[in-house]
């Protein structure tokens, strides 16, 4: 646990300085700090208390944001399943490494016991994360809700609330959700956010717009692993374009 202090407090920008997320995770972090026998000090260039602008979130910010929103989705239907926990473990391990993943899972267990002021948390995240970063968060949360094979109605409603408060449009939400569906031409149009009756030129423009929106370079500052995860969305956009262009005979 000794590395937890330096990692979390050394890489946070906004997650603890704004009250909603800080109120949810503060007590749990304090308990973890007690176990490390290290003072809860901040180190490193990311440790400041000033307000950040969108696009300048750190890996620590993203980690704590994901922990709180993960808890909100897992609590939606009143139970946490093995499928959900497995999805979270794999994602956290890939994004933050084995040691930090274990620490975040301990934090998650505590946050699951707490009331989450979801709208306030989402508005805090929205004010500091760029649109590309928020899309990445939503992509992960949809995967979490689908981890057991089917999304429950309660989970769908929570995701819709989160998307609204994060400033994610209904088209973007539908597009992200369609990325998890079975491959089909209909689903491909949804991924590209374009009407099946649109002209070939409109479809081409939609593909270029979506490719730019989901390009992995937009989250490169959050680290190589986050960028790799973003590349999954980018591949889904490319696959949707290939399916639609083949169906239309577009060269």
């Amino acid at each position: 646990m000794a590395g937890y202090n330096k990692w979390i407090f050394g890489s946070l920008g906004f997650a603890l300085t704004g009250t909603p997320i800080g109120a949810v995770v503060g007590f749990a972090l304090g308990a973890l700090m007690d176990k490390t026998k290290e003072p809860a000090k901040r180190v490193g260039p990311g440790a400041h208390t000033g307000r950040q602008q969108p696009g300048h979130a750190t890996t620590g910010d993203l980690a704590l944001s994901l922990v709180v929103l993960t808890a909100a989705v897992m609590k939606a239907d009143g139970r946490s399943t093995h499928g959900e926990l497995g999805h979270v473990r794999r994602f956290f391990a890939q994004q933050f490494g084995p040691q930090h993943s274990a620490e975040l899972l301990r934090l998650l267990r505590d946050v699951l016991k707490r009331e989450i002021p979801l709208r306030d948390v989402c508005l805090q995240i929205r004010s500091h994360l760029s649109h590309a970063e928020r899309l990445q968060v939503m992509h992960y949360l949809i995967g979490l809700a689908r981890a057991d094979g089917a999304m429950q109605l309660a989970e769908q409603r929570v995701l819709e609330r989160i998307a609204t408060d994060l400033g994610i449009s209904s088209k973007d939400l539908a597009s992200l959700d369609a990325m998890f569906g079975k491959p089909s031409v209909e689903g491909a149009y949804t991924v590209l956010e374009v009407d099946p009756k649109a002209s070939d030129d409109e479809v081409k423009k939609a593909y270029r717009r979506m490719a730019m929106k989901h390009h992995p370079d937009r989250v490169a500052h959050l680290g190589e692993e986050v960028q790799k995860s973003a590349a999954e969305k980018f591949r889904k956009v490319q696959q949707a374009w290939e399916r639609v262009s083949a169906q239309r005979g577009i060269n």
Side-chain angles (χ1 to χ4, degrees):
M1 294 294 293
Y4 192 94
N5 186 354
K6 292 181 181 178
W7 180 63
I8 287 293
F9 286 95
S11 61
L12 286 176
F14 77 83
L16 291 185
T17 59
T19 55
I21 293 177
V24 174
V25 304
F27 180 85
L29 281 176
L32 288 171
M33 291 305 101
D34 288 342
K35 295 179 182 179
T36 69
K37 297 182 180 180
E38 294 184 30
K41 60 184 178 181
R42 298 190 178 195
V43 295
H48 57 79
T49 58
R51 179 181 174 85
Q52 288 181 296
Q53 296 301 315
H56 294 281
T58 68
T59 303
D61 292 324
L62 181 65
L64 291 195
S65 299
L66 287 176
V67 165
V68 176
L69 293 181
T70 292
V73 173
M74 292 178 73
K75 287 159 63 77
D77 58 1
R79 61 193 180 95
S80 300
T81 67
H82 291 298
E84 290 173 338
L85 289 172
H87 179 82
V88 174
R89 285 194 187 98
R90 288 190 298 273
F91 184 87
F92 280 6
Q94 291 168 358
Q95 300 303 306
F96 308 113
Q99 178 186 351
H100 300 325
S101 172
E103 294 159 354
L104 290 171
L105 288 171
R106 293 186 186 97
L107 183 62
L108 175 62
R109 282 198 292 269
D110 185 273
V111 175
L112 282 167
K113 302 173 186 176
R114 302 184 178 281
E115 291 296 322
I116 299 173
L118 187 56
R119 177 172 169 78
D120 292 339
V121 166
C122 289
L123 292 179
Q124 182 187 350
I125 293 171
R126 178 176 179 175
S127 69
H128 291 89
L129 266 63
S130 69
H131 187 247
E133 292 164 346
R134 286 177 273 134
L135 287 174
Q136 190 65 23
V137 168
M138 285 306 309
H139 184 260
Y140 157 74
L141 293 175
I142 292 170
L144 172 61
R146 287 180 167 272
D148 293 317
M151 186 185 300
Q152 302 299 315
L153 180 59
E155 293 171 325
Q156 180 182 339
R157 288 175 174 169
V158 167
L159 288 176
E160 289 171 351
R161 284 180 57 197
I162 292 173
T164 297
D165 291 336
L166 287 182
I168 302 297
S169 71
S170 58
K171 277 191 174 183
D172 272 333
L173 184 61
S175 172
L176 292 169
D177 188 51
M179 293 179 185
F180 290 90
K182 292 182 179 180
S184 68
V185 174
E186 181 182 2
Y189 280 107
T190 303
V191 169
L192 296 176
E193 298 183 11
V194 67
D195 193 297
K197 296 179 181 179
S199 68
D200 287 354
D201 283 343
E202 289 172 327
V203 172
K204 291 177 182 178
K205 289 179 181 178
Y207 164 63
R208 288 194 292 267
R209 182 176 65 251
M210 295 301 290
M212 290 180 61
K213 183 188 296 186
H214 292 291
H215 199 285
D217 286 351
R218 289 184 174 268
V219 294
H221 60 284
L222 291 174
E224 182 179 354
E225 294 306 318
V226 175
Q227 192 175 20
K228 286 180 181 178
S229 180
E232 179 183 344
K233 302 198 313 303
F234 189 68
R235 283 194 296 272
K236 293 294 184 180
V237 171
Q238 291 178 308
Q239 290 168 1
W241 162 248
E242 290 168 1
R243 192 165 288 111
V244 169
S245 60
Q247 184 253 347
R248 287 175 171 248
I250 301 175
N251 295 323

